[in-house]
Amino acid sequence: MDFDLSWLLLGLPVAFVLGWLASRLDLRQLRLENRQAPKAYFRGLNFLLNEQQDQAIDAFIEAVQNDPDTQELHFALGNLFRRRGEYQRAVRVHEHLLSRGDLSRADRERAQHALAQDFLSAGLLDRAEGALQKLEGTRFENEARLALLAIYERSREWSQAELVAAKLDAAEQASYGTRRAHHLCEQAAELVARGAAQEEAMALLQQAAALAPQAPRPPMDIAALQVRGGEPAAAFDTLVRLAETAPLALPLFAAQMQQAAVAARRSGEALLLLQRRYAHAPSIDVLEAIIALGGSPTTAEAEARDASATAPAPRDGYLAHLTHQPGSLVAASRWLAGETLADDARTHPPVQRALDQAARPLLRYRCAACGFEAHQYFWHCPGCQAWDSYPPRRVEEL
């Protein structure tokens, strides 16, 4: 049977015309959709610039419905929900993105990071931890580790915090040696509180001292552990070395040094060291350690040079301190506490109470980062979570 070419010649133009008509219909539909999506998008952007977030969200939702494949609109919508505190809706948007199989690797990592931020903002730390751990090996790895470190520190999971800080330290973007030393000291403190073997806590503290040789906390904790183990002489030697490496921190451990010196029967050495340090940097804490040792702020060398002067009584050290800090209510209050006034029974108690009350706020420590004040010295500020943000001096001496 012969093939009739006339049918082929007739069918080709028909197929061409049908194809052309179909393409025109598709183009018209595409143009219509494209006109609708940018319109909603720009309307949402205008609302956003005018700080009309409710209207912006409605416009972006409309744009997403017109073009569900637009990832950028999903990210914008999720971020808007998070900023408004609608964390549940932000989580749904970002989880929807993650559930899509056609999402690129870069957008998937971005969506995972956004989801972790949603959980962090909502205070869901357990879920945030899981989301952040999935960012290991991505371009958000460093940010995720910093967030994890903050979570572990806030929840006092010190071993986990130290592991994350070690990874950050290995990345060599910043030094985390001192921070890791604090984590190890916290672990040692927990071991001591649980009554664990002293050797375990000492090993952690020695590791902390090696990580941060200039930090005062590890030697202070080592000395406390040595005193606890019946080694006051070793504790005193530890604190003497610390006074050389971190002299500005002496007010923090002056009382600890005085107690170790008394227990080790080395009060004379401690007194001379404290007097010399006090001469260079007067401090009420150092002064009180000197007075507890039965001495005065004046060194033996100064007394020998002025042999005609009578040796001052230890409590007169408070008066001597007032020459360095004329407005020191703390020194005035401490001096007055041991004095006998005329008509003492009637006048002394109310005057003493007034001075003590006025001096009490001046004995606090103040965070240099956020201004949080506390009677106790904190290595880790309860207010802003900063490390080593407290100067080692009382508010009165700042």
Side-chain angles (χ1 to χ4, degrees):
M1 178 179 177
D2 294 334
F3 181 74
D4 190 355
L5 291 177
S6 61
W7 289 104
L8 181 61
L9 293 174
L10 183 63
L12 281 174
V14 172
F16 175 78
V17 170
L18 290 174
W20 181 80
L21 287 173
S23 67
R24 296 299 297 172
L25 288 172
D26 287 344
L27 282 172
R28 286 184 62 188
Q29 180 66 24
L30 183 61
R31 284 173 185 164
L32 180 62
E33 290 176 356
N34 285 342
R35 280 199 299 269
Q36 289 175 346
K39 197 174 193 180
Y41 176 79
F42 288 122
R43 191 166 66 250
L45 187 60
N46 183 53
F47 284 133
L48 192 58
L49 291 173
N50 291 322
E51 297 185 358
Q52 297 174 280
Q53 292 189 7
D54 288 332
Q55 293 90 331
I57 286 174
D58 292 337
F60 282 139
I61 289 174
E62 180 186 341
V64 167
Q65 287 171 344
N66 289 331
D67 188 4
D69 294 332
T70 307
Q71 292 91 338
E72 290 302 326
L73 287 178
H74 282 79
F75 283 120
L77 195 57
N79 290 338
L80 270 176
F81 283 142
R82 184 167 64 245
R83 285 177 59 187
R84 283 178 51 82
E86 298 182 53
Y87 305 120
Q88 218 170 14
R89 298 178 78 181
V91 167
R92 282 205 301 270
V93 169
H94 293 130
E95 284 183 337
H96 169 70
L97 275 173
L98 286 170
S99 68
R100 288 173 48 177
D102 61 338
L103 205 62
S104 68
R105 180 177 177 180
D107 282 339
R108 187 170 297 280
E109 291 172 1
R110 185 179 169 193
Q112 184 66 43
H113 181 246
L115 183 63
Q117 288 181 308
D118 296 338
F119 291 140
L120 280 173
S121 300
L124 303 172
L125 299 186
D126 288 343
R127 298 187 70 180
E129 179 185 354
L132 290 167
Q133 287 172 344
K134 292 178 181 177
L135 291 169
E136 193 74 21
T138 71
R139 60 195 173 106
F140 297 102
E141 179 181 70
N142 198 64
E143 294 175 49
R145 285 174 177 173
L146 287 171
L148 280 171
L149 184 59
I151 289 174
Y152 291 139
E153 288 179 346
R154 188 183 301 180
S155 56
R156 303 184 66 81
E157 297 178 57
W158 301 116
S159 58
Q160 291 289 87
E162 202 277 325
L163 288 174
V164 174
K167 291 179 181 178
L168 287 165
D169 215 2
E172 297 182 352
Q173 294 185 0
S175 175
Y176 287 83
T178 302
R179 201 155 170 178
R180 291 173 63 193
H182 281 299
H183 298 156
L184 292 167
C185 289
E186 293 287 353
Q187 292 179 61
E190 289 180 350
L191 287 174
V192 171
R194 291 202 303 265
Q198 183 171 316
E199 290 77 11
E200 296 179 51
M202 184 62 77
L204 289 172
L205 293 175
Q206 287 171 344
Q207 185 181 347
L211 278 171
Q214 302 300 319
R217 185 182 183 181
M220 287 174 61
D221 289 356
I222 287 172
L225 204 57
Q226 288 169 332
V227 169
R228 187 185 181 95
E231 302 178 89
F236 180 71
D237 290 335
T238 299
L239 295 175
V240 168
R241 289 191 296 271
L242 178 58
E244 295 295 327
T245 57
L248 295 179
L250 181 59
L252 295 179
F253 60 89
Q256 187 182 6
M257 175 181 280
Q258 173 261 321
Q259 292 163 6
V262 170
R265 299 182 180 180
R266 295 169 67 178
S267 299
E269 292 178 56
L271 181 58
L272 184 59
L273 186 151
L274 292 170
Q275 285 173 330
R276 286 175 175 167
R277 296 294 182 188
Y278 179 87
H280 288 93
S283 162
I284 193 70
D285 292 294
V286 176
L287 173 64
E288 296 209 310
I290 290 171
I291 291 173
L293 288 168
S296 68
T298 309
T299 62
E301 291 91 335
E303 291 175 6
R305 285 195 299 269
D306 189 8
S308 61
T310 57
R315 283 193 58 264
D316 289 341
Y318 291 119
L319 290 177
H321 188 72
L322 288 170
T323 63
H324 299 290
Q325 292 190 342
S328 176
L329 281 176
V330 175
S333 174
R334 300 287 167 82
W335 174 81
L336 185 62
E339 289 300 304
T340 302
L341 304 180
D343 197 9
D344 185 74
R346 185 175 64 85
T347 59
H348 194 171
V351 172
Q352 186 66 54
R353 280 196 299 272
L355 269 177
D356 289 344
Q357 187 172 353
R360 192 172 295 117
L362 302 177
L363 284 168
R364 296 172 181 164
Y365 296 98
R366 180 187 295 152
C367 174
C370 70
F372 186 91
E373 292 186 2
H375 285 290
Q376 176 187 349
Y377 184 86
F378 286 105
W379 301 103
H380 190 208
C381 178
C384 63
Q385 304 296 306
W387 288 99
D388 294 318
S389 59
Y390 281 82
R393 289 180 169 271
R394 311 281 181 171
V395 167
E396 185 182 63
E397 298 170 333
L398 296 177

